[in-house]
Amino acid sequence: MSDETQVTGAAAPEGESRAPGRGPRGRGGPGGGPGGDRRGGPGGNRRDGDRNKRGRDNNNGEPAGEELIEKLVHINRVSKTVKGGKRFGFAALVVVGDGKGRVGFGHGKAREVPEAIAKATAAAKKAMVRVPLRDGRTLHHDGYGHFGAGKVYVRSATQGTGIIAGGPMRAVFESLGVADVVTKSVGTNNPYNMIRATFAALVGQVSPKSVAQRRGKKVMDLLSRRGDVSAKQAEADAEAVA
């Protein structure tokens, strides 16, 4: 009687699997199979691969190797009223430019200063705009911009004038790559409003080439009407612009 009794639940013979299509439990071992170790195997480190790929690419869409000028314009301590008291943080305003006619600004908030600056810098890189420059050193024409209570006047200047601007406006023109400009700020001295007013004036800048294409004229015809240059100089400038 005892010889014919079969023992249920006994271990399977060595070399046989417990169930078809299933590997041994646990994360280790080379025989994990599809249902075994998800982190191992050829397709296991999928998260690590994506993380490495994101590290190689630039998150801001900028070409690798491009050096940008980053300037911290203003940092402010802010607070948020929550249940049980106030939560303090920091707000940063950053201007970023390549020194060749592209500039942008951004602001960010965080509990710590370095994190707020990093957020503002990332926002500024995403919001960069291109401004046409005359000879790569000054603006093509005078401009005016306003935002809220801030009013800004910008004027082109001759070579050697330098950047006559103060506060946040100087950071914008230094990052933009302007070497000669005269500016005047009227109204508020709030850095946020001054930066936005300055960008409103810069966005309105147009180059003689774009105006000539829109009006169906030659660039030399437009430059020759300026009173501060001769016809020969206007022709040379037209060739340089074209």
Side-chain angles (χ1 to χ4, degrees):
M1 185 71 177
S2 59
D3 297 338
E4 296 178 358
T5 305
Q6 296 181 359
V7 180
T8 60
E14 185 178 359
E16 297 182 3
S17 59
R18 294 183 178 181
R22 293 190 59 184
R25 294 183 179 181
R27 297 182 178 179
D37 186 6
R38 296 184 179 180
R39 297 185 181 180
N45 296 332
R46 190 172 302 170
R47 295 181 179 178
D48 297 339
D50 295 342
R51 193 177 296 115
N52 295 335
K53 184 178 179 180
R54 288 195 299 267
R56 288 192 299 267
D57 298 336
N58 196 328
N59 297 333
N60 300 309
E62 298 293 335
E66 184 180 7
E67 296 183 359
L68 299 177
I69 304 172
E70 302 176 1
K71 291 186 177 294
L72 177 62
V73 177
H74 183 71
I75 190 163
N76 186 29
R77 185 184 179 188
V78 296
S79 64
K80 179 182 179 181
T81 302
V82 295
K83 183 179 180 180
K86 292 184 178 182
R87 183 180 299 170
F88 293 95
F90 296 91
L93 177 63
V94 176
V95 174
V96 174
D98 60 353
K100 301 177 183 178
R102 295 179 65 233
V103 68
F105 78 98
H107 59 90
K109 295 180 181 180
R111 299 292 297 275
E112 301 295 337
V113 174
E115 190 175 350
I117 295 176
K119 288 183 178 180
T121 303
K125 291 179 180 179
K126 293 180 181 179
M128 294 181 69
V129 297
R130 180 168 295 279
V131 180
L133 299 180
R134 178 184 174 188
D135 300 333
R137 61 172 185 82
T138 187
L139 304 177
H140 280 288
H141 56 84
D142 301 347
Y144 167 76
H146 71 94
F147 184 88
K151 302 177 181 62
V152 166
Y153 298 89
V154 295
R155 300 186 62 182
S156 58
T158 58
Q159 189 172 3
T161 303
I163 301 177
I164 302 180
M169 299 178 64
R170 173 174 288 273
V172 173
F173 289 109
E174 288 179 352
S175 303
L176 181 61
V178 174
D180 305 300
V181 68
V182 178
T183 66
K184 180 63 178 178
S185 174
V186 181
T188 181
N189 58 355
N190 187 316
Y192 290 89
N193 289 348
M194 290 180 65
I195 289 290
R196 289 186 172 92
T198 304
F199 271 82
L202 294 178
V203 170
Q205 291 286 318
V206 292
S207 63
K209 185 177 181 179
S210 62
V211 175
Q213 292 177 353
R214 185 172 67 248
R215 297 179 60 186
K217 294 180 176 292
K218 297 181 179 180
V219 179
M220 187 182 66
D221 297 339
L222 300 179
L223 296 180
S224 61
R225 300 184 63 180
R226 295 176 53 185
D228 57 342
V229 295
S230 60
K232 187 175 181 179
Q233 182 66 26
E235 184 178 357
D237 294 343
E239 294 179 357
V241 170

